[in-house]
């Protein structure tokens, strides 16, 4: 069994910062890739940022230069540092990870989501 638990969401004023965490736990051999997605009311879910197993990263154009991914491999945790937040960043943020289990199987897992609200 594998669990992904997100934390760090909340209410912040425009221009502010938040750091989201996505912690994986369970029968994990390694985390292959982790992505952060967001879904705003009435909109489709979109990929915000992606970190591959080799540590390379990709960002959506709308967040490039403002959001930064990092990871602590020892803790199986990926962080999304969000700076210069805008009202249009308001959404439920969810992490998704491709995880290699101790059995050797590759599984795809989602966290429960965390609300980010940017408002004055």
């Amino acid at each position: 069994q594998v669990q992904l638990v997100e934390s760090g969401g909340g209410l912040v004023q425009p221009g502010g910062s938040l750091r989201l965490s996505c912690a994986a736990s369970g029968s994990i051999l390694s985390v292959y890739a982790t992505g952060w997605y967001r879904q705003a009311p009435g909109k489709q879910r979109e990929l915000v940022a992606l970190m591959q197993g080799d540590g390379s990263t990709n960002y959506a154009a709308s967040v490039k230069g403002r959001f930064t991914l990092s990871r602590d491999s020892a803790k199986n945790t990926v962080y999304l540092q969000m700076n210069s937040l805008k009202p249009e960043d308001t959404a439920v943020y969810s992490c998704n990870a491709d995880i290699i289990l101790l059995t050797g199987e590759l599984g795809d897992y989602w966290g429960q989501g965390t609300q980010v609200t940017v408002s004055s």
Side-chain angles (χ1 to χ4, degrees):
Q1 295 286 346
V2 171
Q3 276 192 317
L4 293 183
V5 178
E6 300 113 330
S7 60
L11 173 64
V12 64
Q13 292 187 341
S17 299
L18 285 174
R19 189 177 80 155
L20 305 183
S21 300
C22 175
S25 62
S27 303
I28 298 169
L29 179 62
S30 64
V31 179
Y32 181 68
T34 303
W36 281 97
Y37 293 76
R38 67 186 181 187
Q39 186 166 22
K43 294 187 176 182
Q44 287 190 331
R45 184 170 61 193
E46 63 172 343
L47 176 63
V48 175
L50 177 67
M51 176 177 281
Q52 299 287 0
D54 63 1
S56 60
T57 55
N58 297 93
Y59 299 93
S62 59
V63 307
K64 194 173 291 186
R66 300 188 297 122
F67 290 11
T68 303
L69 280 169
S70 63
R71 70 181 175 186
D72 184 335
S73 297
K75 296 181 179 180
N76 287 326
T77 300
V78 171
Y79 304 97
L80 182 66
Q81 178 67 43
M82 305 187 295
N83 298 328
S84 302
L85 283 161
K86 305 175 181 180
E88 51 264 43
D89 294 318
T90 295
V92 175
Y93 285 70
S94 301
C95 70
N96 170 264
D98 293 331
I99 295 175
I100 301 173
L101 307 181
L102 292 175
T103 60
E105 297 172 84
L106 177 64
D108 181 77
Y109 299 91
W110 286 91
Q112 81 285 358
T114 184
Q115 176 70 45
V116 171
T117 303
V118 185
S119 175
S120 54

